[in-house]
């Protein structure tokens, strides 16, 4: 690995960036394939965590007897809804922003499978 990195640096220093671009393209396609494989697992784990946290908050709401505990439970509900909204906005908006920036810069982006 160190030798490959050294050779990439030497090629870039010598002005021959064709091999470097090919290596970066290969790396990008491998990273793209990896994300394509683990994406369903990440979604599943995320949904499971949201469900568990929602159940925890539901139990806190049910057990709340005092006004202070009820306010704390309502704050947890607001935080859960806000967190889900922020994650959704980031997950939906970030690819659009990156795609727009790439188009503005004049480069193409390989999309996920």
């Amino acid at each position: 690995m160190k030798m490959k990195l050294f050779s990439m640096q030497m090629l870039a220093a010598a002005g021959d960036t064709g091999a470097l671009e090919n290596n970066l393209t290969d790396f990008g396609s491998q990273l793209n394939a990896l994300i394509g494989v683990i994406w369903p697992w990440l979604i599943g784990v995320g949904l499971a965590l949201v469900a568990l946290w929602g159940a925890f908050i539901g139990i806190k709401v049910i057990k709340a007897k005092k006004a202070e505990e009820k306010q704390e439970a309502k704050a947890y509900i607001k935080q859960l809804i806000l967190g889900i909204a922020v994650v959704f906005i980031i997950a939906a908006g970030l690819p659009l922003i990156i795609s727009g920036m790439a188009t503005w810069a004049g480069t193409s982006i390989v999309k996920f499978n």
Side-chain angles (χ1 to χ4, degrees):
M1 182 68 178
K2 288 182 182 180
M3 186 61 171
K4 189 174 185 178
L5 181 62
F6 178 73
S7 66
M8 287 177 12
Q9 289 173 346
M10 291 303 292
L11 288 171
D16 182 20
T17 59
L20 179 62
E21 289 177 11
N22 288 338
N23 287 336
L24 290 176
T25 302
D26 291 343
F27 174 74
S29 64
Q30 289 175 359
L31 184 63
N32 200 5
L34 175 66
I35 290 174
V37 168
I38 65 171
W39 188 251
W41 291 96
L42 290 175
I43 296 294
V45 168
L47 289 174
L49 289 173
V50 168
L52 286 172
W53 188 245
F56 169 75
I57 292 173
I59 291 171
K60 280 196 96 59
V61 168
I62 292 170
K63 286 187 172 184
K65 300 292 182 204
K66 299 178 186 173
E68 182 179 300
E69 292 174 348
K70 289 180 182 181
Q71 286 179 343
E72 183 181 351
K74 286 181 183 179
Y76 276 137
I77 292 172
K78 289 177 187 175
Q79 290 172 1
L80 176 66
I81 292 170
L82 182 65
I84 292 171
V86 166
V87 168
F88 178 75
I89 289 170
I90 289 173
L94 200 56
L96 296 174
I97 292 170
I98 292 172
S99 161
M101 289 173 61
T103 303
W104 175 73
T107 59
S108 63
I109 294 180
V110 178
K111 299 194 188 246
F112 291 127
N113 294 332

